[in-house]
Amino acid sequence: MNQPVAPNSFRTGPDEQGMFGIFGGRFVAETLMPLILDLEAHWNRAKNDPAFKAELKQLGRHYTGRPSPLYFAERLTEHLGGAKIYFKREELNHTGSHKVNNCLGQILLAMRMGKKRIIAETGAGQHGVATATVAARFGLPCVVYMGATDVERQAPNVFRMRLLGAEVRPVTAGHGTLKDAMNEALRDWVTNVEDTYYLIGTAAGPHPYPEMVRDLQSVIGEETKEQIMEAEGRLPDMLVAALGGGSNAIGLFHPFLDDKEVAIIGVEAGGKGLDGDEHCASLTAGKPGVLHGNRTYLLQNEDGQIKDGHSISAGLDYPGIGPEHAWLKESGRAEYVAIQDYEALEAFQLLTRLEGIIPALEPSHAIAEVMKRAPKMGRDKIIVVNLSGRGDKDIFSVAKHLGMEI
Amino acid sequence: MTGTRIDTLFAGLKKQNRPALVTYFMGGDPDYETSLSIMKTLPKAGADIIELGMPFSDPMADGPAIQAAGQRALRNGQTLARTLEMARSFRTENDTTPIVMMGYYNPIYIYGVDRFLADAKTAGIDGLIVVDLPPETDEELCLPALRAGINFIRLATPTTDDRRLPKVLENTSGFVYYVSMTGITGSALPDTGKVAEAVARIKRHTDLPVCVGFGVKTASQARVIGAAADGVVVGTAIVNAVANVLSPDGGMIADPAEAVATLVRGLAQGVRESRLAAAE
């Protein structure tokens, strides 16, 4: 394959067709096409409207608790004996993860569009909870599609969503996981095109979702830039974030894409190893294909059938990846690696003991990668890792993996 | 006119003043051999066009019946290569019934667009319906297919307004597939008056035949829809006829091909009576 020429800027995508290089686009059924074009027009108006931005900022400050702190992880840094490690504390947000940043922006858009009903898909339940939360806050009925397998293994989040007034519909079609939940949400949308807003939780799906979710999550990277300048007087040497669909990662990375001195590392779920099928490393072990409205790296067989992934973390359990990450990989701007279940579990425990922070299993993958890299870097180097969610939801499955009863 | 079997068929039906019966079945459901015998039985039972379903793991625009059929086919080893082989085998005894392959883009993308079109042409494929390739993506497969002499049939829906219709119709050939409702395959049949209105609306923009689908299950529905349309598409009902004779353990209670033939004979009767009914 020809090595692509590095563009002048990595921050100009997508193009008018929603493409990041060959990735992204609008591969959807005709029924949805007019809706997606309408959504794009509304989004373009909203994102340039000072009133929209002001309302979002106000909610971010007083509802979510922004800005989230940039915290120097002193004990972890000492323990690893190399680069200084900072955490972007997205786990301190209302609802416990970065997901709420995107949900607030999209529900404001849904209100502007006059939509009367919100639907969403969820895997681990974090996006479902964040969506149910903003739907409650704005008084809109909300239906969350969740794979039947996930409904069982994420019972606390299912209960949270129900408390918040959302209807959780277990999806048994297919294999009952996140991709099937997304299929089902798309089916709901094609059936209820008039009044329904589909609030996608990650930076994937048909254009304009990858761009819109990225822009709404970019607050993470923008704040980080200001905060690290204040703390260190310079940009970090490295950013690290975990990816399922890739929304927390693109939110941290995007404002830094043109700062060439900043290395960018995305961490995928390596599950039980990349040799077999039990992982979710679409970028490191998949190949380009078309699913859920966009062309991106996918886990698939030689006939183009999509495989089910596996990860200890339900939030990373998706066989695709946001198209901008696919492009950042191909263009060489970002590096993508995989961390296995056991490594994430070790990082989870280490962080809990050293810093008194219980991270979600998703960012535990990012921490595990930092554990490998920081010791090899000088003490004058700086790493920022996105602590995208808190681990309360994971204590039951962690206990099970550690053979403990609670 | 592209000069495919589809064009020839509609020219002939126009003279007979009757709509086409377009029948969808899932390639490889429940297994290759049974599925091939279903395919062979379709024209004998009165189907005019065969839509050959290409199974996909994530059929976003389809209902549970077609999704389950695709999963049965995949479980029993169906691949895109096998689906093409099925068409080739069918063509050894039938060289007139148009075959339209219907499914999703990813298996074709992975097979390789050029290789797929060459193999499809050799296998005697006349048209393609690829659900997740709207006109904005015509460079991907639609234009290469037209260059290869294969019709690319586009879906128009109730959400496709007059402003958008010309774009949808621009590179469409063979026929236009009007999806009579928003929703997934196999849902309830919409108001027939609205269908006639919609067909008339599309016909203001194109000379191509307009076939109507999504929701047609019975002979009487086929008769009603056929009065307004150039063709009636039946899919989920056929897939269900197969599913109904399968036992949970994977065995067969009755011959799926015979079950499909019985249904299709009734539907064929329905479309043949539709213009007579309309004239009454």
Side-chain angles (χ1 to χ4, degrees):
Chain A
M1 206 184 282
N2 290 331
Q3 198 61 34
V5 180
N8 291 328
S9 170
F10 287 93
R11 303 189 63 209
T12 54
D15 68 14
E16 279 178 16
Q17 297 304 317
M19 305 297 282
F20 302 91
I22 67 159
F23 300 104
R26 288 181 282 225
F27 296 88
V28 297
E30 176 59 26
T31 317
L32 288 182
M33 206 54 215
L35 278 82
I36 282 170
L37 294 172
D38 184 47
L39 176 64
E40 184 186 352
H42 277 91
W43 168 242
N44 285 335
R45 278 200 292 279
K47 74 177 177 189
N48 295 314
D49 180 351
F52 178 82
K53 286 195 268 196
E55 194 175 1
L56 191 57
K57 189 157 189 183
Q58 172 82 358
L59 282 164
R61 179 170 302 158
H62 299 288
Y63 193 67
T64 309
R66 304 212 69 87
S68 67
L70 184 71
Y71 165 76
F72 173 46
E74 198 176 344
R75 295 244 296 145
L76 182 66
T77 299
E78 259 172 46
H79 177 83
L80 296 175
K84 290 179 84 169
I85 301 157
Y86 282 85
F87 294 158
K88 181 59 175 164
R89 304 274 316 262
E90 288 297 301
E91 101 281 11
L92 292 177
N93 293 340
H94 180 43
T95 75
S97 80
H98 69 289
K99 291 289 186 190
V100 72
N101 302 330
N102 167 48
C103 289
L104 277 173
Q106 286 201 54
I107 202 151
L108 285 181
L109 187 62
M111 299 293 286
R112 285 167 77 103
M113 294 175 74
K115 299 291 183 182
K116 304 284 180 228
R117 176 174 176 266
I118 301 292
I119 57 169
E121 83 294 336
T122 197
Q126 291 306 91
H127 174 58
V129 168
T131 305
T133 299
V134 299
R137 166 66 181 76
F138 286 89
L140 290 180
C142 174
V143 173
V144 179
Y145 290 93
M146 189 169 185
T149 318
D150 291 332
V151 168
E152 263 179 49
R153 62 179 174 178
Q154 302 289 336
N157 271 344
V158 173
F159 185 59
R160 275 184 198 109
M161 287 184 265
R162 289 184 172 144
L163 279 176
L164 288 159
E167 181 194 338
V168 180
R169 290 193 191 160
V171 177
T172 49
H175 297 94
T177 56
L178 177 56
K179 81 176 171 79
D180 302 301
M182 200 154 178
N183 290 336
E184 216 53 40
L186 284 163
R187 290 183 181 120
D188 181 314
W189 203 22
V190 299
T191 310
N192 302 293
V193 292
E194 293 296 331
D195 66 341
T196 296
Y197 184 94
Y198 181 17
L199 209 163
I200 292 185
T202 194
H207 180 64
Y209 284 103
E211 176 198 297
M212 179 164 65
V213 176
R214 174 200 73 197
D215 288 353
L216 291 169
Q217 292 292 2
S218 286
V219 66
I220 301 172
E222 284 155 13
E223 286 177 6
T224 299
K225 227 173 183 176
E226 277 180 30
Q227 290 165 322
I228 198 74
M229 288 306 289
E230 196 177 311
E232 295 281 349
R234 71 176 184 89
L235 295 181
D237 298 285
M238 184 180 284
L239 302 174
V240 184
L243 313 93
S247 72
N248 90 79
I250 201 69
L252 176 65
F253 297 168
H254 194 259
F256 290 91
L257 288 179
D258 286 337
D259 299 306
K260 302 226 163 66
E261 68 275 26
V262 181
I264 293 178
I265 316 292
V267 185
E268 297 192 286
K272 295 178 179 166
L274 301 187
D275 299 339
D277 280 342
E278 293 194 79
H279 63 79
C280 280
S282 357
L283 283 171
T284 14
K287 60 179 178 174
V290 174
L291 178 72
H292 292 153
N294 59 162
R295 175 162 31 223
T296 188
Y297 276 76
L298 300 171
L299 299 178
Q300 53 184 323
N301 70 14
E302 60 290 340
D303 187 42
Q305 308 296 337
I306 310 305
K307 291 186 195 173
D308 278 295
H310 159 83
S311 168
I312 189 172
S313 147
L316 302 180
D317 208 343
Y318 180 64
I321 186 78
E324 194 163 9
H325 288 293
W327 178 73
L328 289 173
K329 174 194 163 80
E330 295 256 309
S331 65
R333 177 61 186 98
E335 182 188 346
Y336 295 90
V337 297
I339 281 289
Q340 295 191 33
D341 287 349
Y342 78 91
E343 296 171 300
L345 208 50
E346 279 171 23
F348 175 96
Q349 296 172 81
L350 184 75
L351 191 61
T352 303
R353 302 240 177 96
L354 281 180
E355 296 287 352
I357 296 172
I358 303 179
L361 282 169
E362 292 82 12
S364 296
H365 286 71
I367 300 293
E369 183 64 20
V370 168
M371 284 163 63
K372 289 182 179 176
R373 291 187 186 245
K376 295 179 199 153
M377 293 164 69
R379 287 171 188 272
D380 58 333
K381 301 292 183 192
I382 302 167
I383 299 177
V384 174
V385 49
N386 196 0
L387 213 60
S388 56
R390 63 174 182 235
D392 307 41
K393 69 178 174 68
D394 293 316
I395 56 170
F396 302 99
S397 59
V398 169
K400 207 172 117 197
H401 284 285
L402 298 178
M404 294 177 186
E405 284 205 20
I406 48 175
Chain B
M1 292 294 248
T2 36
T4 63
R5 292 180 190 86
I6 298 175
D7 299 324
T8 313
L9 174 87
F10 279 106
L13 290 182
K14 199 166 185 180
K15 281 182 200 148
Q16 295 176 41
N17 188 30
R18 75 161 176 92
L21 176 62
V22 183
T23 52
Y24 172 97
F25 79 109
M26 179 61 79
D29 172 35
D31 59 65
Y32 181 88
E33 289 305 330
T34 310
S35 185
L36 178 59
S37 74
I38 291 171
M39 188 174 188
K40 288 176 177 172
T41 206
L42 288 171
K44 291 173 191 158
D48 299 300
I49 296 178
I50 294 174
E51 283 183 6
L52 169 55
M54 302 178 270
F56 182 48
S57 53
D58 294 79
M60 292 164 303
D62 285 302
I66 288 181
Q67 178 166 25
Q71 282 178 341
R72 286 193 297 270
L74 291 173
R75 254 199 317 274
N76 286 318
Q78 192 72 3
T79 58
L80 184 51
R82 299 269 284 162
T83 307
L84 286 164
E85 185 187 323
M86 189 173 281
R88 254 193 319 273
S89 181
F90 173 88
R91 276 281 174 252
T92 58
E93 57 179 68
N94 179 324
D95 195 38
T96 52
T97 305
I99 306 173
V100 174
M101 289 180 90
M102 180 167 181
Y104 295 79
Y105 185 38
N106 197 53
I108 296 172
Y109 180 70
I110 294 303
Y111 193 92
V113 165
D114 293 341
R115 179 178 160 228
F116 170 75
L117 289 173
D119 290 357
K121 192 72 190 167
T122 315
I125 300 300
D126 303 284
L128 301 173
I129 299 175
V130 182
V131 181
D132 50 354
L133 286 179
E136 281 74 3
T137 61
D138 273 356
E139 300 287 335
E140 297 276 342
L141 181 63
C142 173
L143 296 177
L146 291 179
R147 284 195 291 272
I150 294 177
N151 289 137
F152 199 86
I153 293 135
R154 188 87 66 194
L155 274 63
T157 73
T159 58
T160 315
D161 58 19
D162 280 324
R163 209 157 31 106
R164 186 167 165 77
L165 253 180
K167 189 169 180 71
V168 169
L169 297 171
E170 192 181 356
N171 292 315
T172 300
S173 61
F175 61 92
V176 180
Y177 184 161
Y178 181 67
V179 175
S180 54
M181 51 191 280
T182 58
I184 51 178
T185 51
S187 314
L189 190 75
D191 178 347
T192 48
K194 279 193 186 159
V195 171
E197 239 171 74
V199 170
R201 179 169 73 91
I202 294 169
K203 282 187 168 291
R204 283 197 292 275
H205 293 268
T206 180
D207 294 332
L208 288 170
V210 178
C211 298
V212 175
F214 275 44
V216 182
K217 291 188 177 70
T218 65
S220 62
Q221 290 168 338
R223 191 169 64 228
V224 174
I225 297 286
D230 300 306
V232 179
V233 188
V234 183
T236 299
I238 292 173
V239 166
N240 279 336
V242 175
N244 289 343
V245 295
L246 301 177
S247 56
D249 61 5
M252 294 175 203
I253 301 158
D255 178 15
E258 192 41 50
V260 169
T262 305
L263 173 70
V264 171
R265 277 193 288 269
L267 293 165
Q269 187 66 32
V271 298
R272 279 163 179 77
E273 289 167 4
S274 60
R275 297 287 162 83
L276 303 173
E280 273 167 15

